[in-house]
Amino acid sequence: MESLLKEELTKHLEGTGMLSKVQHGFCRGRSCITNLLETFEDWTTAIDHGYGIDVIYLDCQKAFDTVWHSGLYTKLVGYGIDGKVLTWLKSFLQGRKMRAKVRGDHSDWVSVTSGVPQGSVLGLLLFLVFVNDIPEWI
């Protein structure tokens, strides 16, 4: 089910041009290499025209674990994803629990109230939707 939904969501987001053109992570035909090449080209052009360059690097450590579910749902609705699909996605993210295992001992189960499931088929796409508008803010 995840694979089918991911394929249709991707078609919708790409087909409507809703995914940021500067996003390279987890996008078909784009990668870290294409991001670096575009950035290098932009910097070279700026320097050739006499401009200086300031760079800010952001560390997105544990970013997948910090996706705010309510904010994600709002963004999904803004991208035209609603109805049964949105209900299914909410069900997919809500009610998750986790625990840790150390040397055979398990912690108590705790509810997971934020984040997208790492290693899941949909996790990367949901994270991408969540961070999609960051370039607009910068």
Side-chain angles (χ1 to χ4, degrees), residues 48-118:
D48 286 348
H49 288 92
Y51 294 102
I53 297 173
D54 294 318
V55 179
I56 299 172
Y57 292 97
L58 302 174
D59 180 3
C60 296
Q61 182 180 8
K62 300 189 182 204
F64 286 86
D65 296 333
T66 60
V67 171
W68 173 44
H69 289 170
S70 293
L72 175 61
Y73 305 145
T74 300
K75 289 181 180 192
L76 288 166
V77 169
Y79 293 143
I81 299 162
D82 56 9
K84 291 181 181 180
V85 173
L86 184 64
T87 300
W88 190 92
L89 288 169
K90 285 181 177 181
S91 176
F92 175 72
L93 292 173
Q94 293 174 347
R96 290 184 173 270
K97 295 185 179 280
M98 68 176 197
R99 68 179 179 172
K101 178 181 176 183
V102 178
R103 295 188 190 118
D105 292 327
H106 291 89
S107 68
D108 292 334
W109 287 99
V110 295
S111 294
V112 177
T113 58
S114 65
V116 294
Q118 295 179 45

Side-chain angles (χ1 to χ4, degrees), residues 13 72 75-76 79 124-133:
L13 294 169
L72 175 61
K75 289 181 180 192
L76 288 166
Y79 293 143
L124 296 175
L125 182 60
L126 293 175
F127 177 75
L128 184 63
V129 167
F130 189 69
V131 300
N132 189 52
D133 56 353

